[in-house]
Amino acid sequence: MSDTPAQSADVGSTAASRSNAVVAVLAFAGIVVSLMQTLVIPLVPELPKLLKASPSDTAWAVTATLLASAVATPVVGRLGDMYGKRRLLLVSLALLTAGSVTCALAGSLELMITGRVLQGLSAGVIPLGISIMRDELPAEKLSSATAVMSASLGVGGALGLPASALIADNLDWHALFWVSTVFGAAATILVLTMVPESLARTGGRFDLVGALGLSAALVCLLLAVSKGADWGWGSGTTLGLFAVGVVLLLVWGVYQLRTSHALVDLRVAARRQVLLTNLASLSFGFSMFAMSLVIPQLLQLPAATGYGLGKSLLVSGLVLAPQGLVMMAVAPVSARISRARGPKVTLMLGALTVAVGYALNTVMMSQIWQLVFISCVIGAGVGLAYGAMPALVMGAVPVTETAAANSLNTLMRAIGTSTSSAVTGVVLAHMTITLGPVSLPSENGFRTVMVVGCAAAMLALSVASFIPRQDPLASGHHTAHESGEPATAPSATDAKA
């Protein structure tokens, strides 16, 4: 009997080590996927020459990834709930690796776009990772782990830009994708060996009609948003895509309410906590992305403008890199605030911090240290909010719908960032100065974008204030208490126990 406490301590230590390993592997996978979003940015100006195509055609190397991500995220989330989240996580990472190899071998635009589509199809990794954490981790570790996983999205993006600029400047451009191939393969092997398969599944029949309908609607809407500036916002193509997208979305919604195996359970999505969190995520995604478009341009514009700093792309990436580290550092702080005050308060605090960052940016934009400081302030706000969003969503949905719900929340943020890119492009294209033969965005144009970003963050704050307040000190399992699920709905950890 004297051995029992020691044995219990050993078991507890082993379980804790296993949990930490799962979190580390899933966060690494999230960082690898988010790296893919920024990997191609240093190449965009050079792609027409490298691939012997027009700039409008090579822009599809970015647009194709956006569209593939939007289509894959809700579909992979539902498939993960039905057939196993780890299984779909491995599929996503395999697609990412295959896409990286395809891009590394690409000598034509067609092959490059094919590879970028495959990379875009891996976008479901982060919501799947968060959902696996809900199934596998003890309640006391869940909030901090999901905060770290959410922060990986920003970490990969912030660190990817300087790393890819450095590689592109010193090696053949194909090396970028060989590096991403190595990271993708490493993430796949680590997940295969370290992450257990969840026992929580919905089963049932996959809603193929719903998946096709939502995919078509999203492609129409996001294509119009991303290419509207090139085609003309009042052109028949842009307006037609918007109209078709809205009609398809309405028809899809009616169909989802009537089918017994819906791709997205709109009744769950309409719950006040889920709906308001997703709307806040939409506004927050819009606000967060504006900084990523403004600061690099301020850094790279010629000093002759009077407000540009005339720096290289590598320097721009290095200025943004600390933001990713701040996001990761803030993740445990986000978890602690959520445990003490509830994730609603954390989300509101994050939105307020981002709004303050943009407000400061309107008067602090003339020195490199000022832009580093601003990016870190906004990064801290993003880290706080990104840690709170999954907690709010998972607190209101059944454990069997976790991946689908997290994927929908991720999709809402992505729609926000895509809209932000379009709006920012319109503002900067219409508010310009002339420097020699070239028209460049004006200083007031950048300030206008910052004001719009601040307003979007305040809108997210306002929406979040209406989310129902939760009891952060509620006892028992996080998932059961916050979702209102019956106590008989066990997590995979419970089942194993």
Side-chain angles (χ1 to χ4, degrees):
M1 293 186 61
S2 61
D3 292 336
T4 302
Q7 291 173 350
S8 299
D10 290 341
V11 171
S13 176
T14 302
S17 299
R18 188 181 301 115
S19 296
N20 292 336
V22 168
V23 172
V25 168
L26 292 175
F28 174 71
I31 290 173
V32 170
V33 170
S34 62
L35 279 171
M36 299 308 107
Q37 308 304 316
T38 54
L39 193 67
V40 78
I41 290 177
L43 292 179
V44 169
E46 302 297 324
L47 283 178
K49 180 178 66 176
L50 295 173
L51 299 175
K52 298 178 177 59
S54 68
S56 60
D57 287 339
T58 55
W60 283 99
V62 176
T63 305
T65 307
L66 167 70
L67 299 178
S69 299
V71 169
T73 301
V75 172
V76 168
R78 173 53 68 192
L79 288 171
D81 282 332
M82 294 176 65
Y83 301 116
K85 303 176 184 71
R86 175 179 175 270
R87 180 177 297 173
L88 268 295
L89 182 62
L90 288 168
V91 169
S92 297
L93 290 171
L95 289 171
L96 183 148
T97 306
S100 298
V101 171
T102 303
C103 290
L105 297 173
S108 66
L109 178 62
E110 293 77 12
L111 203 57
M112 171 66 85
I113 291 175
T114 300
R116 292 294 288 166
V117 167
L118 290 172
Q119 287 185 323
L121 293 175
S122 68
V125 164
I126 290 178
L128 284 170
I130 292 172
S131 303
I132 289 172
M133 288 175 177
R134 184 187 190 184
D135 294 343
E136 298 300 327
L137 300 182
E140 65 272 12
K141 285 183 174 288
L142 183 60
S143 57
S144 58
T146 55
V148 168
M149 187 71 189
S150 295
S152 69
L153 181 63
V155 173
L159 299 182
L161 188 58
S164 56
L166 187 63
I167 294 172
D169 284 345
N170 293 280
L171 299 172
D172 179 78
W173 67 274
H174 292 92
L176 282 172
F177 297 101
W178 286 121
V179 170
S180 70
T181 299
V182 172
F183 280 123
T188 304
I189 293 169
L190 287 171
V191 169
L192 191 62
T193 56
M194 304 292 291
V195 177
E197 181 60 273
S198 169
L199 299 180
R201 301 184 188 180
T202 60
R205 177 172 53 85
F206 179 68
D207 180 14
L208 180 60
V209 174
L212 293 174
L214 180 59
S215 298
L218 289 173
V219 167
C220 288
L221 292 173
L222 290 175
L223 196 55
V225 167
S226 61
K227 303 294 286 186
D230 295 333
W231 295 337
W233 293 105
S235 69
T237 302
T238 302
L239 295 177
L241 283 170
F242 274 127
V244 172
V246 169
V247 170
L248 285 174
L249 206 56
L250 291 173
V251 172
W252 173 82
V254 172
Y255 173 78
Q256 291 295 282
L257 291 172
R258 293 183 176 180
T259 185
S260 57
H261 298 284
L263 177 74
V264 177
D265 190 335
L266 293 182
R267 292 177 179 84
V268 171
R271 291 177 183 174
R272 186 178 173 189
Q273 183 165 316
V274 180
L275 177 62
L276 291 176
T277 300
N278 283 335
L279 291 176
S281 299
L282 181 68
S283 298
F284 202 88
F286 183 102
S287 176
M288 177 270 296
F289 198 64
M291 177 207 61
S292 302
L293 300 169
V294 167
I295 290 182
Q297 291 195 61
L298 282 172
L299 286 162
Q300 294 177 70
L301 281 176
T305 59
Y307 52 89
L309 299 178
K311 303 300 179 182
S312 67
L313 180 63
L314 177 57
V315 171
S316 300
L318 291 172
V319 168
L320 290 175
Q323 178 204 19
L325 301 178
V326 169
M327 287 181 63
M328 188 61 77
V330 165
V333 178
S334 173
R336 283 196 292 270
I337 296 173
S338 294
R339 283 195 296 267
R341 307 285 294 177
K344 169 186 173 177
V345 172
T346 312
L347 177 56
M348 293 174 66
L349 184 59
L352 180 60
T353 304
V354 170
V356 169
Y358 278 113
L360 290 173
N361 204 181
T362 60
V363 295
M364 296 176 64
M365 53 188 289
S366 60
Q367 301 290 332
I368 288 182
W369 73 265
Q370 292 176 346
L371 297 180
V372 172
F373 174 73
I374 293 300
S375 70
C376 288
V377 171
I378 295 176
V382 173
L384 288 171
Y386 273 21
M389 290 171 189
L392 285 165
V393 170
M394 291 189 296
V397 302
V399 69
T400 52
E401 297 185 23
T402 305
N406 278 322
S407 295
L408 181 61
N409 183 253
T410 300
L411 176 62
M412 295 299 282
R413 276 183 271 171
I415 292 173
T417 59
S418 301
T419 308
S420 175
S421 178
V423 171
T424 300
V426 169
V427 171
L428 296 182
H430 284 81
M431 301 181 71
T432 61
I433 63 167
T434 301
L435 184 67
V438 181
S439 292
L440 299 172
S442 68
E443 187 175 17
N444 285 335
F446 287 119
R447 284 202 171 97
T448 300
V449 172
M450 295 166 200
V451 170
V452 171
C454 180
M458 293 304 294
L459 177 60
L461 173 64
S462 176
V463 172
S465 69
F466 291 98
I467 295 174
R469 185 172 179 83
Q470 297 172 283
D471 178 11
L473 300 177
S475 61
H477 277 287
H478 172 87
T479 52
H481 278 270
E482 292 190 1
S483 66
E485 296 173 53
T488 54
S491 68
T493 306
D494 297 330
K496 291 174 185 175

